[in-house]
């Protein structure tokens, strides 16, 4: 687990409230790292990508790094900037992308320069089609509803030798999705899910402008699952304002009793 916060991170620009008054060094934007036998992968390239890939390297120093992107919102792809000539000057780092995301990167600077200078090699993804990365590692993108201004948005199913993880950092409401999350949870071993906001009223503006399933709604939706299924859920992508960032928050403690987790930086999961 390389990061658990929403795109804007914490401290959040302009926030003078308690939520951002005591920043922790490992409060990074949502990302997963996957360590394979020969390669390592990051799911989303966040503004915190340097610290995150350094941490990942400490787990598997010899591995080459490859990248999967969910969508073109700032917390999920702008870390690519560190692959460019001004920074690490990467040599053909594989970046797996959906078709609109690919066009967005190819047709807009400064990202297009990463392509023309061959810092990155874009690898096309097709929804619901698995990419085999290693003998025991495959990844399947699944489309999810989200504010798709520049690209489509996907989540990923990451399948190792024995276990499967579901990664959905950003989605509008569960009810807008053609897939029933309730059923999907039963088919995976870990589910890292959008927990941006805890409940309605958290922002001083209409929250319908930035729709996400509230943690409260997700818990309500999933609480009739057997305990062993509820335990698979780890909330990620928490907004700086989310009260559940505080380990002593009552709602968080209650959800924990029901089996639901809030992910922590550095947690590792066997696949
Ligand atoms: Zn996001
Ligand atoms: Zn804040
Ligand atoms: Zn987004």
């Amino acid at each position: 687990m390389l990061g658990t916060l929403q795109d804007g991170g914490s401290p959040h620009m302009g926030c003078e409230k308690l939520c951002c008054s005591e920043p922790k060094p490992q409060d990074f934007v949502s990302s997963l790292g996957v360590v394979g036998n020969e390669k390592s992968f990051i799911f989303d390239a966040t503004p915190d990508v340097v610290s995150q890939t350094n941490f990942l390297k400490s787990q598997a120093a010899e591995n080459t790094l490859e990248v999967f992107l969910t969508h073109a919102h700032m917390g999920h792809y702008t870390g690519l900037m560190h692959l460019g000539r001004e920074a690490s000057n990467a040599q053909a780092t594989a970046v797996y992308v959906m078709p609109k995301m690919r066009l967005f990167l190819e047709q807009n600077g400064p990202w297009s320069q990463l392509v023309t200078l061959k810092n990155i090699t874009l690898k096309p993804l097709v929804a619901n089609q698995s990419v085999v990365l290693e003998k025991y590692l495959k990844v399947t993108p699944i489309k999810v509803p989200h504010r798709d201004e520049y690209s489509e948005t996907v989540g990923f199913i990451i399948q190792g030798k024995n276990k499967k993880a579901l990664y959905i950092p950003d989605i509008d409401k569960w009810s807008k999705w053609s897939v029933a999350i309730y059923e999907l949870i039963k088919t995976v071993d870990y589910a890292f899910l959008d927990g941006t906001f805890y409940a309605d009223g958290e922002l001083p503006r209409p929250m319908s402008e930035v729709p996400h399933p509230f943690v409260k709604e997700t818990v309500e939706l999933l609480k009739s699952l057997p305990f062993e299924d509820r335990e698979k859920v780890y909330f990620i992508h928490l907004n700086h304002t989310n009260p559940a960032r505080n380990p002593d928050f009552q709602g968080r403690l209650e959800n924990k009793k029901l089996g639901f987790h809030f992910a922590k930086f550095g947690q590792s999961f066997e696949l």
Side-chain angles (χ1 to χ4, degrees), residues 168-225:
I168 303 181
D170 257 301
I171 186 167
D172 291 0
K173 298 290 182 186
W174 296 119
S175 58
K176 287 204 210 160
W177 200 21
S178 55
V179 175
I181 186 67
Y182 189 91
E183 298 300 325
L184 187 57
I185 298 268
K186 297 175 187 170
T187 68
V188 299
D189 299 281
Y190 314 106
F192 304 103
L193 302 183
D194 181 342
T196 309
F197 301 116
Y198 192 78
D200 203 1
E202 200 172 305
L203 293 184
R205 57 169 156 148
M207 292 188 70
S208 55
E209 286 174 7
V210 279
H212 290 273
F214 300 127
V215 170
K216 265 189 129 164
E217 292 174 332
T218 304
V219 166
E220 200 53 43
L221 182 69
L222 302 179
K223 76 178 187 194
S224 59
L225 280 168

Side-chain angles (χ1 to χ4, degrees), residues 67-69 95-99 101-102 105 122-126:
V67 182
F68 280 80
L69 299 179
V95 179
Y96 291 84
V97 282
M98 292 292 289
M101 185 76 210
R102 178 183 185 150
L105 295 174
L122 296 175
K123 303 268 193 180
L125 291 172
V126 178

